[in-house]
Amino acid sequence: MSVRLFNTYSRQLEDFRPLDPAGQQVKMYTCGPTVYNHAHIGNFRAYVFEDLLQRHLEARGFVVERVMNLTDVDDKTIRGARAAGRRLADFTQVYKDAFFHDLETLRIKPASHFPAATEPRYIERMIAMIGQLEAQGIAYQAEDRSVYFRLAKFPDYGKLAHLNLDELRPSGRVNSDEYEKENIGDFALWKAWNEADGEVRWESPWGPGRPGWHIECSAMATALLGPELDIHCGGVDNIFPHHEAEIAQSECCTGRKFVRHWLHCAHLMVEGQKMSKSLGNFYTLRDLLEKGFTGREVRYALLTVNYRLPLNFTIAGLEGARAALGRIDEWVARIADCSAPVSASAELPAELAERMPAFFAALDDDLNISGAMGQLFDLIRESNSALDHGKLTPAQAAALLADWQRLDRVLAFQRESAAVPAAVAALLEQRQQARAAKDWAASDRLRDEVAALGWVVKDTKDGPKLSPAAA
Ligand SMILES: [Zn+2]
């Protein structure tokens, strides 16, 4: 069974195979937030999709090394810091901290690396890459003292976005980090300092200035993951010009194909409209928490729509997420209550047993999460019915609970403080008696039985502490 993913570059479903000859290590780069503001739920849709991708690849045995960068210098951060009358680093730190907090609330696994563009080693690398491009005749310094990428030198520019550059005539130079398709032109690698930048400046062979947004990602990606990446993700908004520029810069510097699989998630709408501050439908995660929703409800609403489909985010949808999670919670509590400790794994009835592989097979199919959730809800319905009819043994309920824990390592939907099931509490009590009698063998055996039910016992000086096995 192989994982198949839609590659934006080829516009085709492709079998996923990492570059690692052993087929195990996966190098994945995901464009992170620009820390001038609190990230909004459109941003988080991309981060939640990337989290699902990472967790599913891990469930399939891959070892994922993931980089998510923090853009802490660009047009927007500089403007924001000036408006706030603060130093750039102080201004962005507030939003970096908030971002990490939000990731935790949404149960997004931390990346292996969170490089920030302004770290000296990355600035040095950006300058070195621009210098190399200049030496190759690909970059040039213009009259405005900024350094630009000469698009004519990279015929593949536009291939990711499937733009025909012969039809869209390049129009001069573009100094802004973001621009429309009509303005295709040589993009800035290094922006010469001007008054609006205030004290934000680094010395370079081209005079004082700062890097362009695109070169930041090329430098951090190749510094941490090497010249070739297995997967690069982002939202569809990133495809042009940002990811096109990343490809052009990186491939001209390394001479290698930068990325094997490009994945992009579709737009998010709110109540059927484009999210905008003027329409009053612009949500950060905080806004939703203030309305009384939890991080896991927002996660559910963002995660359960297939990533290549537009997501219409609504308050009714969040209420639906709450109801769906309630059904899952109720079911998990029920099978936990019915479970008995088992030494040998019990076989599930065939119609239940086939749901697990079908769940993962759906995700293999370009992360078909709606198909996967359909399998989960069928499993819930069928196993509830089996329990109603007394057709599941306690050992089978325990096997089902273990299955749920495997699914939840991908979904991360488990209720925060799941009540301790009676069977687990009883085992813990027996274990305390064994420990009091210094019967360490029995104590260890009982700890394993507790673990088989999905709980971890930790002995502390205040006595044993129980927690659900980590998602
Ligand atoms: Zn990027």
Side-chain angles (χ1 to χ4, degrees):
M1 179 67 70
S2 66
V3 176
R4 285 165 69 75
L5 300 171
F6 185 83
N7 189 343
T8 309
Y9 202 92
S10 67
R11 295 288 198 276
Q12 279 177 355
L13 279 173
E14 294 175 1
D15 285 344
F16 173 68
R17 269 187 220 96
L19 285 152
D20 170 24
Q24 203 190 24
Q25 302 287 330
V26 175
K27 292 176 185 293
M28 174 167 162
Y29 187 86
T30 49
C31 289
T34 301
V35 282
Y36 73 109
N37 205 336
H38 292 294
H40 57 68
I41 50 166
N43 305 130
F44 282 117
R45 179 187 194 189
Y47 308 143
V48 165
F49 136 67
E50 292 154 359
D51 184 55
L52 175 65
L53 174 60
Q54 173 171 0
R55 286 171 180 268
H56 180 58
L57 290 174
E58 287 172 350
R60 286 310 198 191
F62 295 103
V63 176
V64 179
E65 182 179 11
R66 176 173 173 198
V67 175
M68 178 180 272
N69 70 295
L70 304 170
T71 298
D72 60 354
V73 56
D74 79 326
D75 301 345
K76 287 187 267 194
T77 44
I78 291 174
R79 259 200 313 271
R82 269 182 86 95
R86 304 190 69 182
R87 287 182 53 238
L88 181 67
D90 297 336
F91 174 75
T92 57
Q93 190 61 48
V94 174
Y95 297 110
K96 287 179 187 173
D97 293 344
F99 177 68
F100 289 126
H101 195 262
D102 287 353
L103 287 185
E104 216 179 296
T105 305
L106 288 171
R107 305 176 174 196
I108 294 170
K109 286 183 93 160
S112 323
H113 314 272
F114 285 106
T118 58
E119 288 174 48
R121 60 185 161 146
Y122 299 124
I123 295 278
E124 270 168 41
R125 187 176 175 86
M126 294 167 210
I127 291 173
M129 287 177 83
I130 298 167
Q132 191 191 335
L133 293 170
E134 187 184 36
Q136 290 171 260
I138 295 167
Y140 64 94
Q141 185 166 29
E143 323 75 63
D144 66 359
R145 305 202 57 73
S146 291
V147 180
Y148 291 88
F149 187 99
R150 188 172 271 131
L151 280 190
K153 288 277 187 181
F154 191 71
D156 282 351
Y157 192 80
K159 283 204 172 159
L160 177 69
H162 293 224
L163 296 176
N164 184 342
L165 295 189
D166 295 333
E167 287 170 17
L168 294 159
R169 183 140 26 125
S171 57
R173 285 185 288 269
V174 181
N175 192 277
S176 159
D177 282 325
E178 289 163 282
Y179 49 90
E180 299 297 319
K181 283 180 194 155
E182 291 72 31
N183 295 331
I184 289 179
D186 292 354
F187 59 85
L189 295 161
W190 185 261
K191 300 185 177 202
W193 180 86
N194 67 36
E195 265 176 32
D197 292 341
E199 56 184 22
V200 179
R201 55 191 277 171
W202 286 269
E203 291 309 320
S204 83
W206 313 281
R210 60 182 168 99
W213 173 36
H214 315 311
I215 194 75
E216 295 178 7
C217 278
S218 285
M220 292 184 276
T222 56
L224 289 160
L225 297 174
E228 296 172 279
L229 319 182
D230 294 302
I231 297 178
H232 193 315
C233 301
V236 284
D237 292 351
N238 290 142
I239 296 175
F240 185 87
H242 184 54
H243 289 165
E244 290 285 1
E246 279 190 42
I247 294 172
Q249 299 158 154
S250 305
E251 296 194 356
C252 287
C253 280
T254 67
R256 311 271 273 278
K257 186 162 175 63
F258 180 42
V259 172
R260 307 246 295 197
H261 299 267
W262 283 97
L263 274 75
H264 294 96
C265 71
H267 287 289
L268 175 139
M269 316 272 279
V270 173
E271 308 287 351
Q273 286 181 296
K274 193 170 185 252
M275 188 163 61
S276 81
K277 285 192 170 144
S278 58
L279 285 174
N281 65 353
F282 185 97
Y283 292 135
T284 64
L285 178 58
R286 275 130 232 274
D287 296 332
L288 297 169
L289 299 179
E290 272 170 29
K291 287 182 187 292
F293 293 102
T294 63
R296 99 179 158 128
E297 286 162 356
V298 178
R299 177 181 175 87
Y300 188 100
L302 293 176
L303 188 79
T304 51
V305 172
N306 290 359
Y307 78 95
R308 286 203 288 129
L309 296 176
L311 190 163
N312 184 23
F313 191 91
T314 63
I315 294 298
L318 276 175
E319 282 156 1
R322 175 172 291 172
L325 286 165
R327 278 180 67 199
I328 295 174
D329 292 346
E330 222 172 274
W331 171 71
V332 173
R334 185 174 186 195
I335 55 176
D337 266 346
C338 297
S339 297
V342 276
S343 40
S345 66
E347 292 233 343
L348 287 173
E351 75 273 15
L352 298 184
E354 71 197 22
R355 296 291 170 202
M356 277 287 282
F359 174 92
F360 287 104
L363 292 180
D364 284 344
D365 178 19
D366 198 29
L367 298 181
N368 176 4
I369 187 68
S370 52
M373 292 307 290
Q375 294 295 333
L376 171 60
F377 283 111
D378 282 347
L379 176 67
I380 291 177
R381 189 170 39 76
E382 289 160 3
S383 56
N384 273 332
S385 156
L387 284 166
D388 291 343
H389 295 91
K391 284 188 188 153
L392 275 191
T393 66
Q396 285 175 320
L400 208 49
L401 190 60
D403 277 358
W404 158 250
Q405 275 140 10
R406 269 186 64 208
L407 298 190
D408 197 53
R409 276 199 279 279
V410 174
L411 298 172
F413 288 160
Q414 174 82 41
R415 183 160 50 182
E416 284 85 354
S417 54
V420 178
V424 173
L427 287 171
L428 192 67
E429 179 55 35
Q430 288 175 36
R431 182 168 176 273
Q432 284 310 97
Q433 289 168 9
R435 288 175 71 81
K438 297 200 181 337
D439 182 351
W440 307 119
S443 161
D444 286 351
R445 179 176 51 76
L446 288 158
R447 185 196 54 213
D448 292 345
E449 288 182 17
V450 169
L453 294 178
W455 291 79
V456 178
V457 189
K458 220 170 148 189
D459 294 303
T460 72
K461 61 178 176 10
D462 304 321
K465 288 267 185 296
L466 265 181
S467 55

